Amino acid sequence: MGENVLRDLLNRLKWSSAEQAAGVVVEVRIRDAGEERVAGVDFESMVEILAAGVTGGDGRFLPYQRVVRVRRTGEVLWESGGERRW
């Protein structure tokens, strides 16, 4: 269920005013050199919001299960395992 809430949030941001989406960062778990870490991806660089995840400007697919949180200038909009905040 959390993934649907996340997708809804991302779609709302995509179709809202540019001001609402400005400064939004999607934090995802990535594997780098054999280690997992959390990295921030600017929402503005995301190209597609799909049923199973998002596609970044670099063409990389990021599944929703890797998303840790979505924040805007320090405010947490969504967090994995947390409640809807927006």
Side-chain angles (χ1 to χ4, degrees):
M1 181 170 157
E3 292 173 0
N4 291 333
V5 172
L6 174 57
R7 182 178 180 203
D8 290 344
L9 169 62
L10 296 177
N11 270 311
R12 287 179 82 160
L13 289 168
K14 178 179 180 177
W15 299 109
S16 67
S17 69
E19 294 158 0
Q20 283 189 311
V24 172
V25 175
V26 179
E27 297 178 357
V28 296
R29 287 188 311 269
I30 61 169
R31 290 190 189 100
D32 187 23
E35 295 196 21
E36 194 168 280
R37 64 182 177 89
V38 175
V41 178
D42 289 330
F43 176 74
E44 294 171 336
S45 73
M46 296 186 174
V47 177
E48 290 183 288
I49 300 169
L50 305 167
V54 296
T55 304
D58 61 358
R60 184 169 45 170
F61 178 75
L62 302 168
Y64 292 128
Q65 67 211 33
R66 292 199 163 273
V67 177
V68 175
R69 79 184 52 80
V70 178
R71 62 181 169 78
R72 177 179 37 221
T73 319
E75 174 190 8
V76 175
L77 302 175
W78 180 90
E79 191 164 29
S80 178
E83 296 181 20
R84 184 171 105 179
R85 298 175 189 238
W86 48 279

